Amino acid sequence: RHCDGARVAVEDLRGIQGKLDVQGPNAVAILKSVFGLDLSDLKRFRWTRVENESESWIVSRTGYTGADGVEIYPPAASMRRIWQALTAAGARPCGLGARDTLRLEAGMNLYGNEMNQDINPLIAALGWTVSFKDAGRNFIGREAIDGAAPQEGMIGLKLNERGVMRTGMKVRTAQGEGVVTSGTMSPTMGVSIGMARVPVGAQAGEQAEVEIRGKWVAAGIVSMPFVRQGKVLV
């Protein structure tokens, strides 16, 4: 869409390339014990290539759970062997629901919830990802947000009563109404937590209300992340 004549090739690797996410504080250790991979020098949000049993794997360290995590991209034909070796060594299978709960505890955005093509990064608490210092750096979308004064922003919510926040629920703050963008029951904290997009000005320490099944339920506005590396922060 934005290539403007640049030489870009897109190749469909389904059925050829596999992908397996190994997430959690022991991710690096279990990959070393099972496959002999030493990833101690691989920094967060970086990737490398490794050799394993005459195969070339791409390995990245971009875990999206608030804990450590490694993603491996081996040939699709090797996925069964790798899965069986990891589970035999103690890795426990889990789905995207578990990952989503952990990324919410870590206060991390989910595309389609906190951010999409219609929500600019200043509203989605992603202002740190863009820079306006270099006037000549004309990144995609700069014209739309340069000089913008967002009327909404993101907050963290912790329910004070029983109930579970879910995406789309209404939120009331002293500054006006907003909407829950992500909500769940936190297994680490034992209470419902959520992220919400509300009018600017709402601050941690203030109170809010969330409409759950026709009832307005009290919630506290808190700083994010809620949990990091297994430690409760709010």
Side-chain angles (χ1 to χ4, degrees), residues 14-28:
R14 286 175 294 182
I16 300 173
Q17 186 77 58
K19 179 178 183 286
L20 184 64
D21 297 348
V22 185
Q23 304 292 302
N26 298 321
V28 172

Side-chain angles (χ1 to χ4, degrees), residues 115-128:
M115 55 186 181
N116 59 38
Q117 291 190 25
D118 298 318
I119 300 173
N120 80 51
L122 305 182
I123 293 175
L126 293 173
W128 59 272

Side-chain angles (χ1 to χ4, degrees), residues 7-190:
R7 291 182 296 175
V8 177
V10 178
E11 184 179 356
D12 187 352
L13 296 178
R14 286 175 294 182
I16 300 173
Q17 186 77 58
K19 179 178 183 286
L20 184 64
D21 297 348
V22 185
Q23 304 292 302
N26 298 321
V28 172
I30 196 170
L31 286 171
K32 184 175 183 179
S33 67
V34 175
F35 301 114
L37 301 181
D38 185 0
L39 303 175
S40 57
D41 291 333
L42 182 61
K43 297 180 179 180
R44 294 293 304 276
F45 300 106
R46 298 291 189 272
W47 67 275
T48 188
R49 284 189 179 272
V50 300
E51 297 297 320
N52 180 263
E53 296 193 9
S54 301
E55 295 178 346
S56 178
W57 296 0
I58 295 174
V59 178
S60 59
R61 200 168 185 176
T62 59
Y64 211 64
T65 63
D68 204 358
V70 177
E71 301 77 43
I72 56 177
Y73 301 80
S78 298
M79 289 292 290
R80 181 187 295 271
R81 170 181 66 85
I82 295 167
W83 176 278
Q84 291 175 341
L86 287 170
T87 54
R92 298 175 61 184
C94 68
L96 289 178
R99 195 268 341 239
D100 188 56
T101 298
L102 291 171
R103 71 90 194 165
L104 180 50
E105 288 187 339
M108 295 176 171
N109 288 1
L110 178 66
Y111 189 84
N113 289 41
E114 285 72 43
M115 55 186 181
N116 59 38
Q117 291 190 25
D118 298 318
I119 300 173
N120 80 51
L122 305 182
I123 293 175
L126 293 173
W128 59 272
T129 66
V130 295
S131 174
F132 303 106
K133 293 180 180 179
D134 183 355
R137 188 166 177 261
N138 190 27
F139 55 82
I140 296 170
R142 176 167 187 157
E143 184 177 345
I145 62 174
D146 198 354
Q151 300 302 304
E152 296 178 304
M154 299 301 302
I155 59 170
L157 291 172
K158 178 182 176 183
L159 214 59
N160 295 339
E161 306 174 31
R162 293 183 62 182
V164 180
M165 288 181 279
R166 296 298 185 192
T167 302
M169 289 181 172
K170 293 181 180 179
V171 179
R172 290 197 303 211
T173 71
Q175 290 73 28
E177 288 197 358
V179 62
V180 174
T181 55
S182 292
T184 192
M185 174 61 71
S186 165
T188 305
M189 300 171 62

